[in-house]
Amino acid sequence: MAALAGLRALRRLCGVALFLSQLYVLSGRAGSLMTTKHSQPQSTFGKSLTSTSTNTPYFKIAESTEIPSYVTKCPSNGLCSRLPPDCMTCNTNYSCIYGKPATFDCKVKPYVHCLDQNNHEQENFTINMTCQFCWQLATTDYVCTNSTNCMTVSCPRQRYNATCTVRDHIHCLGNRVFPKMLYCNWTGGYKWSTALALSITLGGFGADRFYLGQWREGLGKLFSFGGLGIWTLIDVLLIGVGYVGPADGSLYI
């Protein structure tokens, strides 16, 4: 009897264990199904966001157009014949007669707008100029670099290598930037009238030489009392004719 009761209890325990195991399995499947159902819309939404931001941008970047630097020198809606040479391209004829008037066919460069005499926009036009190269122009038609290292008061007069650029309103043949040998003509701010006045009044004490930056000669005149007056008279003549100038080699104002 006791054995039969034990077998019955064991069957009940096995039935309970089997029921619990089936319940655990069913609950696990339901959780996985719920997770899959909720995760699918989220992944789809994420994909839609990614594809939207990558394939279909919200705006398009405007293409940048670079404007040439010469446009800043070209007046807008002005006469084509008065445009600076940097604003046009001309068919120059180098076989023209030097010093004679010449006419050349020109065309405006891109981004340049000009008008004719009737206020009509045009691209092709003609210009009149004198047949000559840029380096043959008058000194007033170009601007050159200055040198502060050469001696302006010397015999013979010194020259220096300068780089010259033709003014914008001047038309000529060849390169508009060219080298040229020029005489030294810079100034350090010394006045000829001041130097002459000091030489006449205080030349015996070397004031004129001190003013011109010649310290050694100034000390020599100071301690020799102007060379007993002889040196003073000589300096008055030399400064008066411009032979004695500033120590830095510049010109008088």
Side-chain angles (χ1 to χ4, degrees), residues 61-107:
I61 301 176
E63 297 181 356
S64 60
T65 57
E66 184 178 357
I67 299 177
S69 59
Y70 62 80
V71 177
T72 58
K73 301 180 181 179
C74 307
S76 179
N77 296 328
L79 290 177
C80 295
S81 58
R82 295 189 178 182
L83 284 175
D86 294 337
C87 305
M88 65 182 74
T89 303
C90 299
N91 297 325
T92 54
N93 182 14
Y94 289 91
S95 61
C96 59
I97 302 175
Y98 172 74
K100 298 294 184 179
T103 302
F104 300 118
D105 296 328
C106 301
K107 182 179 180 180

Side-chain angles (χ1 to χ4, degrees), residues 2-179:
L4 291 174
L7 290 173
R8 291 177 180 176
L10 182 60
R11 287 179 179 178
R12 290 178 180 176
L13 290 173
C14 290
V16 172
L18 180 61
F19 175 77
L20 292 175
S21 62
Q22 291 178 352
L23 182 64
Y24 176 77
V25 171
L26 291 174
S27 63
R29 289 181 178 179
S32 62
L33 290 173
M34 292 295 292
T35 304
T36 305
K37 289 181 180 180
H38 287 288
S39 62
Q40 284 179 355
Q42 185 176 2
S43 62
T44 305
F45 181 70
K47 289 181 180 179
S48 65
L49 284 178
T50 305
S51 62
T52 302
S53 62
T54 304
N55 299 330
T56 56
Y58 291 102
F59 59 90
K60 295 182 180 180
I61 301 176
E63 297 181 356
S64 60
T65 57
E66 184 178 357
I67 299 177
S69 59
Y70 62 80
V71 177
T72 58
K73 301 180 181 179
C74 307
S76 179
N77 296 328
L79 290 177
C80 295
S81 58
R82 295 189 178 182
L83 284 175
D86 294 337
C87 305
M88 65 182 74
T89 303
C90 299
N91 297 325
T92 54
N93 182 14
Y94 289 91
S95 61
C96 59
I97 302 175
Y98 172 74
K100 298 294 184 179
T103 302
F104 300 118
D105 296 328
C106 301
K107 182 179 180 180
V108 294
K109 292 184 178 179
Y111 301 98
V112 179
H113 304 280
C114 63
L115 306 175
D116 58 6
Q117 299 292 340
N118 298 324
N119 293 330
H120 295 156
E121 187 172 357
Q122 62 177 356
E123 294 184 358
N124 300 315
F125 57 95
T126 59
I127 60 171
N128 299 319
M129 55 176 287
T130 303
C131 180
Q132 59 183 348
F133 287 94
C134 295
W135 58 270
Q136 296 173 323
L137 292 171
T139 56
T140 56
D141 294 335
Y142 53 83
V143 180
C144 300
T145 57
N146 205 349
S147 176
T148 58
N149 296 324
C150 57
M151 297 291 293
T152 57
V153 181
S154 62
C155 186
R157 292 184 62 186
Q158 291 186 3
R159 294 173 179 261
Y160 70 97
N161 292 320
T163 301
C164 302
T165 305
V166 182
R167 300 185 185 273
D168 291 338
H169 64 282
I170 302 298
H171 297 275
C172 56
L173 300 176
N175 296 327
R176 299 185 61 82
V177 179
F178 53 91

Side-chain angles (χ1 to χ4, degrees), residues 206-237:
D208 50 353
R209 294 283 184 166
F210 286 126
Y211 172 74
L212 296 175
Q214 302 175 6
W215 297 96
R216 295 180 180 177
E217 292 81 355
L219 292 175
K221 291 183 69 175
L222 176 62
F223 291 110
S224 65
F225 299 102
L228 300 178
I230 300 176
W231 194 350
T232 302
L233 295 176
I234 295 175
D235 274 354
V236 170
L237 295 176

